[in-house]
Amino acid sequence: MAKKTRGKGEGSLTQDSRGYWRVRIELPADRDGNRRRKEIRRKSKAEAIAEMRELKKELAKTGDLATSSVKLEDWSETWLKERAKKLAPNTISGYRVAFRDYINPKFGSKKLDKLTPGHVRELHDLILETPKDKALRELSDPPEGTELLSSTYALLVHNTLSGALKMAVRDGIIGRNVCELVDKPTKRHTVEEVLTFDEGVKLLKYLTTHKDGPLWATYLLTGARRGEIIGLEIDRVREDHLDLSWQIQRIKDIKQAPQDYEYRHLENRLYLVRPKSKAGWRTPPLVPELAELLRRQIGGRTEGLVFQRDGRPWDPADASIEWKTILKEAGVNEKVKLHGARHTAVGLLYELGVGEATIMQIVGHSTVSVTRRYGQAGNKRAMQDAMKKLSGALSGKAIEPPANQKQN
């Protein structure tokens, strides 16, 4: 039986049958209300007392103490499994890559309570010094001018590690999240290339003769996201609006999807997925010009995807590549990404005098205005009028180019 001894200021000490001194310190209960204690073992009573005093100082400072030593690589799997219950598969896949390729190779063997702010800064440096081209990563001295991973990606990796450590703190495994003691990498701000008014008119004119013209014109005339248009189904083309409540995504491992994740399989790794929040279910207006384009595209079909490539769904990556080809053929700015069509629509709506609240409702930006009901008649009329302005302007019907876009 353990021999229990108490001395002034020593706290709780027990000496086991092997002669080791064991210290126990009461800690705050875990999130389920269960009792927690910090326990250490030392060879001598003096060492145990000294360690106990240090732990009490740390407890007073941070409010908690680590109760066990867990390797980061082991904890990462626990965290990923927990997060996979709530997040989309592609989001979890990104977190998994961050741990697999960067965090765990560098620090996976370390105990959670041994991580320091210095380790986090080392991780930042590692990312920012890694070539973007995987073929160059094995070189000890990559060629001058090699493109490196961005600060935006370094921020993603930082947030991944921080999320895992945050759960460890919450579960009482560690007393602090060292990521919170380090400045985050600064996210790179890039200026999105957009089409000018004249380029938009030129592109729309070119699309009238292109076999896939209706697809690309729909992006310009709705400000929709890439997956929303290639994922548009015939039964969601309504009389006066489009129902964009589903979109195409390429998903590597659908088995990672949480239980409440809504999806429908198309082929291979392509799925129709629905935004988890109804705030993401957008209904942009269907103006007459666009309605006519879609009617011609659909023809006599009654079901399936509106836009197909040789009878099959468009892969999102292929759509982005083909968009670049379209811009080149039309003789407009080839640097504009497919997402830039969305920014182009927003910019032109601003220039045509459309109010900010209406624009936000049309494109579904995350602002207070998107919480308003799309079903309100006033909002519907405002969105219809706005998109008629845009469609008329790009079609050259009765609306002059904005003053700042006119040729001198």
Side-chain angles (χ1 to χ4, degrees), residues 150-163:
S150 69
S151 58
T152 300
Y153 192 74
L155 177 60
L156 181 147
V157 175
H158 175 98
N159 289 340
T160 300
L161 176 59
S162 184

Side-chain angles (χ1 to χ4, degrees), residues 205-228:
K205 183 177 180 180
Y206 170 75
L207 292 175
T208 60
T209 62
H210 193 280
K211 66 180 181 67
D212 291 321
L215 169 61
W216 313 114
T218 303
Y219 281 105
L220 280 176
L221 296 175
T222 60
R225 298 177 178 88
R226 180 177 65 177
E228 291 174 334

Side-chain angles (χ1 to χ4, degrees), residues 62-113:
T62 65
D64 207 346
L65 297 174
T67 57
S68 62
S69 294
V70 179
K71 287 184 178 180
L72 177 57
E73 58 191 2
D74 295 331
W75 180 251
S76 66
E77 288 303 315
T78 300
W79 180 74
L80 287 167
K81 184 177 180 180
E82 182 69 21
R83 297 305 290 149
K85 297 176 183 178
K86 300 180 180 179
L87 299 178
N90 286 347
T91 301
I92 290 298
S93 180
Y95 290 156
R96 193 173 295 280
V97 169
F99 270 113
R100 183 195 68 201
D101 292 354
Y102 304 102
I103 302 173
N104 284 342
K106 185 74 174 176
F107 302 116
S109 62
K110 290 189 175 296
K111 306 291 188 181
L112 294 184
D113 58 347

Side-chain angles (χ1 to χ4, degrees), residues 13 115 126 139 151 214 223 268 288 292 343:
L13 290 175
L115 290 173
L126 170 67
L139 301 178
S151 58
N268 300 325
E292 178 59 28
H343 288 276

Side-chain angles (χ1 to χ4, degrees), residues 3-15 21-26 40 44-56:
K3 174 184 174 184
K4 188 172 182 180
T5 306
R6 286 184 180 274
K8 186 177 180 181
E10 295 175 350
S12 175
L13 290 175
T14 58
Q15 188 177 31
W21 291 88
R22 193 182 302 273
V23 175
R24 291 187 177 90
I25 299 178
E26 294 293 327
I40 61 169
S44 72
K45 183 178 179 182
E47 289 176 330
I49 293 173
E51 183 70 18
M52 182 177 64
R53 288 171 178 168
E54 291 300 316
L55 289 173
K56 283 187 174 182

